[in-house]
């Protein structure tokens, strides 16, 4: 399926640039949506959600970044200030849907993309298991270059915040502001580096991924990750990202995030973030403790720290409206000159 460049891409990269074919995962999602739409059981509200996602796929971009076909979607005016959204481990760009639409309605150009091996983005070729934070930084830089963005805002969640931190430390002149959600500092632990990636990959890739009904996964997250109910639409996006994130990406990305190489560099990266930074922590986050978030906040040269009350680790699903509002307030004080 050939994708055509939308207006924003034409203005930034030129109408004659060849377009990349949609990934199999994106095409499979379209087929599943069209099949669901054809059933008699679809409610009006679900029908509207399906049509929204089909429209997103129609406008989506697919681009080869460092040898891997990446998916990205855009919303809002082409002339608006650009903000790139980076999702977390075993997640996808769809997790940002509420925030991207809210900011697009306020005149921002929102860009959400899938990290390599996640969502609708392909994996590297077999035999290449490069899902490191460093390589994902190179992918982000290549995406910004592809879109012709000289300066933009960044918003990132969980492990995605590691990518954003490393990127902004390496390319500070291109980042107008950063917004972090559910992120903090960890001390390197060789035991966690050895056991953590395999344990997480087993739970998410070999257990939860095989669950086809949304309720068991929802109950698991309510018991372990969240403090609040999450809309069914967001649960379905969670199931989709579980299905589409490869076991390779799940394991090797976690291994990079827990590595000495990354964890011992993060404090230095954070100290270099002189642009306005918003850090939002969950008061009851079982993954990123408030203590970890407070350590990071204390190192930020130009940071604002906010704790979301009664919030677990999945703030994007637990408080989607508030995430959009916090982003808008932060972006309003960090206008691109």
């Amino acid at each position: 399926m050939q994708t055509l460049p939308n207006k924003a891409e034409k203005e930034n990269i030129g109408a004659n640039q060849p377009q990349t074919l949609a990934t199999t995962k994106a095409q499979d999602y379209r087929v599943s949506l069209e099949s669901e739409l054809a059933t008699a059981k679809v409610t009006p509200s679900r029908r509207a959600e399906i049509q929204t996602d089909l429209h997103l796929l129609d406008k989506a971009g697919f681009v080869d970044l460092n040898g891997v076909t990446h998916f990205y979607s855009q919303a809002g005016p082409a002339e608006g200030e650009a903000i790139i959204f980076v999702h977390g481990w075993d997640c996808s760009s769809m997790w940002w849907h509420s925030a991207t639409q809210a900011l697009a309605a306020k005149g921002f150009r929102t860009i959400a993309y899938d990290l390599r091996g996640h969502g609708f983005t392909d994996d590297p070729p077999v035999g290449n298991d490069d899902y490191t934070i460093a390589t994902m930084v190179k992918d982000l830089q290549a995406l910004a270059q592809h879109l012709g963005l000289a300066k933009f805002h960044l918003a990132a969640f969980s492990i995605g915040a590691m990518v954003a931190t490393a990127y902004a430390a390496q390319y500070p002149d291109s980042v107008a502001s950063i917004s972090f959600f559910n992120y903090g500092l960890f001390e390197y632990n060789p035991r966690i580096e050895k056991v953590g990636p395999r344990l997480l990959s087993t739970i998410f890739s070999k257990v939860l991924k095989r669950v086809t009904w949304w309720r068991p996964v929802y109950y698991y997250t309510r018991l372990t990750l969240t403090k609040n109910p999450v809309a069914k639409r967001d649960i379905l996006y969670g199931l989709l990202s579980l299905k589409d994130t490869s076991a390779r990406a799940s394991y090797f990305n976690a291994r990079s995030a827990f590595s000495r190489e990354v964890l011992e560099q993060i404090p230095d990266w954070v100290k270099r973030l002189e642009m306005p930074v918003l850090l939002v922590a969950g008061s009851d986050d079982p993954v990123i403790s408030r203590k970890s978030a407070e350590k990071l906040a204390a190192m930020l040269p130009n940071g604002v720290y906010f704790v979301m009350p009664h919030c677990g680790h999945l703030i994007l699903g637990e408080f989607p409206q508030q995430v959009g509002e916090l982003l808008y307030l932060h972006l309003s004080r960090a206008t691109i000159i």
Side-chain angles (χ1 to χ4, degrees):
M1 179 174 64
Q2 192 79 15
T3 62
L4 298 176
N6 59 34
K7 178 182 177 182
E9 287 179 297
K10 287 181 180 179
E11 292 179 355
N12 285 287
I13 64 174
N16 295 323
Q17 182 162 333
Q19 298 299 294
T20 303
L21 295 177
T23 60
T24 299
K25 292 187 287 187
Q27 295 184 56
D28 287 346
Y29 185 52
R30 175 185 292 278
V31 171
S32 70
L33 290 175
E34 291 173 342
S35 297
E36 185 180 354
L37 198 60
T39 65
K41 298 185 295 182
V42 180
T43 64
S45 60
R46 178 57 184 159
R47 182 176 296 274
E49 292 172 359
I50 293 171
Q51 290 172 337
T52 296
D53 284 0
L54 287 172
H55 181 64
L56 179 147
L57 290 172
D58 287 338
K59 295 179 63 179
F62 295 88
V63 59
D64 185 310
L65 306 176
N66 300 309
V68 176
T69 299
H70 282 65
F71 165 90
Y72 66 95
S73 63
Q74 300 191 82
E79 67 276 8
E81 292 192 15
I83 174 169
I84 297 180
F85 293 82
V86 190
H87 64 76
W89 177 85
D90 244 40
C91 303
S92 78
S93 58
M94 306 292 271
W95 284 47
W96 288 106
H97 72 98
S98 294
T100 57
Q101 292 305 312
L103 290 175
K106 293 182 180 294
F108 287 90
R109 177 185 174 189
T110 64
I111 302 153
Y113 78 107
D114 289 333
L115 300 171
R116 54 176 52 207
H118 293 69
F120 301 141
T121 292
D122 277 340
D123 288 281
V126 174
N128 176 359
D129 291 318
D130 189 354
Y131 301 88
T132 62
I133 301 298
T135 295
M136 289 179 173
V137 167
K138 294 177 183 177
D139 294 338
L140 175 55
Q141 194 276 335
L143 176 64
Q145 185 176 36
H146 169 76
L147 295 173
L149 301 177
K151 198 161 191 175
F152 53 91
H153 304 277
L154 275 172
F157 166 71
S158 195
I159 281 182
M162 291 182 172
V163 178
T165 303
Y167 179 90
Q170 188 171 346
Y171 304 101
D173 293 340
S174 68
V175 180
S177 77
I178 311 177
S179 300
F180 292 133
F181 295 88
N182 297 107
Y183 182 40
L185 293 182
F186 294 94
E187 291 185 4
Y188 169 71
N189 185 316
R191 180 175 175 79
I192 292 177
E193 180 185 25
K194 182 178 180 180
V195 177
R198 193 167 300 281
L199 177 62
L200 287 173
S201 186
T202 297
I203 293 172
F204 285 83
S205 297
K206 296 184 180 180
V207 179
L208 294 179
K209 181 178 287 192
R210 297 179 181 179
V211 179
T212 57
W213 192 33
W214 65 271
R215 286 190 183 276
V217 176
Y218 176 63
Y219 293 145
Y220 172 80
T221 58
R222 287 289 282 123
L223 285 171
T224 60
L225 295 174
T226 70
K227 299 294 290 184
N228 302 276
V230 176
K232 184 177 178 180
R233 185 181 188 187
D234 291 298
I235 298 167
L236 294 178
Y237 284 150
L239 281 176
L240 180 66
S241 63
L242 276 174
K243 179 178 74 70
D244 284 341
T245 300
S246 71
R248 290 164 58 201
S250 179
Y251 173 74
F252 286 104
N253 184 218
R255 197 167 79 169
S256 176
F258 292 147
S259 69
R260 181 191 296 272
E261 178 185 9
V262 169
L263 292 179
E264 292 189 350
Q265 286 190 88
I266 288 179
D268 179 60
W269 293 339
V270 169
K271 292 174 185 177
R272 288 192 250 162
L273 305 182
E274 296 183 356
M275 66 288 293
V277 177
L278 170 67
L279 172 61
V280 182
S283 63
D284 300 280
D285 189 337
V287 179
I288 310 294
S289 69
R290 286 180 62 174
K291 184 178 180 180
S292 297
E294 287 165 2
K295 284 182 180 179
L296 189 147
M299 290 185 177
L300 291 169
N302 187 14
V304 172
Y305 177 53
F306 178 81
V307 179
M308 182 67 73
H310 195 68
C311 178
H313 186 61
L314 305 185
I315 191 172
L316 303 185
E318 294 181 68
F319 292 101
Q321 180 179 341
Q322 289 86 340
V323 167
E325 292 169 351
L326 286 168
L327 279 168
Y328 181 68
L329 289 172
H330 181 60
L331 294 173
S332 297
R333 79 182 188 96
T335 302
I336 298 175
I337 299 174

